[in-house]
Amino acid sequence: MKIAGIIKSSLIDYPEKASTVIFLGGCNFRCGYCHNPELLHFQDETTQDDAISASGEGINIENLLSFLRSRKRFIDAVCISGGEPTLNRELPLLIGRIKALGLAVKLDTNGSNPKMLTDLLKNGLVDYVAMDIKAPADKYEQVIRNPADLKAIKASAQLLKDAHSQEGFACEFRTTVCKELLSERDIERMLKEYPEAPPWYLQRFHNPGNILDNEGQYSAYPAEEMERLGKRLCVSVR
Ligand code: SF4
């Protein structure tokens, strides 16, 4: 297992913590608005940061851990993003080694692997989980452009909901909102499908220029429109 990319320091990826963000390759979804298309087929061949990669073929775990050790004075946490991190069977092992350094761990997930999520929660390996809810059930496959295991996604959402309400576990749901993919009615229906959810953020779509489907003509709702929507539906917008 190798790390496909890294942001050495971030103040925005883990709420109220300074973190290093690492990206694991591979994903079972193909969202057209994906900001990390180069990670979807990553097979330990590329890296976004040769500075801590001895081989130039992804960041070796030992190199990552020694980098984190050297940064411990400056960071509180590591965010594990992707791609879809839970596709990596060695994820619990990697997290265990990161936590042994005394760092908190946040996981970004699309919710497709409730079994891995159960293990991570049960073993206290994650301190924060951000899960994507992509769309209402009947539009899921249109948005992720792959077969959707809705049962798995619902099971992951339920796990987080229970951990949040019963143990105060820190987590969030988040939804990227593209005008062409989700109508106001779709968002309303989606929120109803997950009642009593943990904090939920609607993220206004933006295109950094290299999204997976640049032909998709995706666009954002105007900021005022999103604010109005957030207020009406009682969800946060960012
Ligand atoms: S789930 Fe995330 S990483 Fe995977 S394709 Fe969608 S946006 Fe990209």
Side-chain angles (χ1 to χ4, degrees):
M1 178 186 188
K2 285 183 179 169
I3 309 301
I6 186 166
I7 297 171
K8 291 178 179 175
S9 295
S10 166
L11 294 175
I12 57 171
D13 286 278
Y14 195 129
E16 294 169 28
K17 289 192 195 300
S19 65
T20 288
V21 186
I22 60 173
F23 298 89
L24 302 188
C27 188
N28 46 353
F29 292 4
R30 289 292 178 271
C31 316
Y33 51 68
C34 182
H35 281 197
N36 297 322
E38 70 285 356
L39 296 184
L40 304 186
H41 302 290
F42 176 85
Q43 290 175 331
D44 295 353
E45 285 165 359
T46 56
T47 176
Q48 294 180 355
D49 187 347
D50 283 340
I52 63 164
S53 169
S55 61
E57 294 176 345
I59 299 158
N60 176 288
I61 299 294
E62 299 308 325
N63 288 350
L64 170 74
L65 293 168
S66 91
F67 169 75
L68 293 175
R69 243 174 253 122
S70 73
R71 298 286 297 173
K72 265 186 69 181
R73 277 170 51 218
F74 309 105
I75 57 168
D76 314 297
V78 173
C79 298
I80 303 182
S81 193
E84 175 47 40
T86 64
L87 295 182
N88 291 274
R89 272 181 301 174
E90 296 160 53
L91 181 64
L93 215 60
L94 171 65
I95 298 181
R97 296 190 69 187
I98 293 171
K99 285 191 74 73
L101 299 176
L103 295 165
V105 169
K106 169 176 175 266
L107 174 72
D108 292 341
T109 180
N110 63 21
S112 59
N113 191 346
K115 185 175 177 316
M116 167 84 75
L117 192 56
T118 303
D119 291 346
L120 296 176
L121 289 167
K122 200 169 66 190
N123 294 308
L125 287 173
V126 279
D127 301 281
Y128 194 111
V129 175
M131 176 177 157
D132 292 338
I133 306 285
K134 302 287 188 183
D138 60 355
K139 287 191 95 173
Y140 231 91
E141 295 196 342
Q142 183 191 335
V143 173
I144 70 169
R145 307 192 315 163
N146 251 7
D149 183 347
L150 288 168
K151 216 168 139 194
I153 290 159
K154 287 258 179 190
S156 293
Q158 188 67 41
L159 279 169
L160 293 177
K161 206 170 86 172
D162 290 347
H164 181 71
S165 64
Q166 291 164 18
E167 298 147 35
F169 180 75
C171 57
E172 66 182 52
F173 289 173
R174 56 192 190 178
T175 302
T176 297
V177 180
C178 280
K179 201 169 159 182
E180 290 72 17
L181 295 175
L182 295 178
S183 68
E184 183 164 343
R185 177 82 188 113
D186 290 333
I187 296 168
E188 198 169 0
R189 289 194 300 120
M190 177 180 63
L191 293 168
K192 282 190 183 142
E193 286 178 14
Y194 301 85
E196 294 163 44
W200 197 326
Y201 296 91
L202 299 180
Q203 303 180 143
R204 191 165 170 255
F205 165 75
H206 80 101
N207 188 350
N210 64 335
I211 59 172
L212 180 61
D213 178 15
N214 259 317
E215 308 298 311
Q217 307 290 323
Y218 301 120
S219 62
Y221 286 100
E224 318 78 63
E225 182 74 3
M226 287 289 288
E227 286 303 324
R228 183 195 59 76
L229 197 68
K231 274 194 192 127
R232 188 173 82 74
L233 302 174
C234 299
V235 278
S236 305
V237 170
R238 64 185 175 200

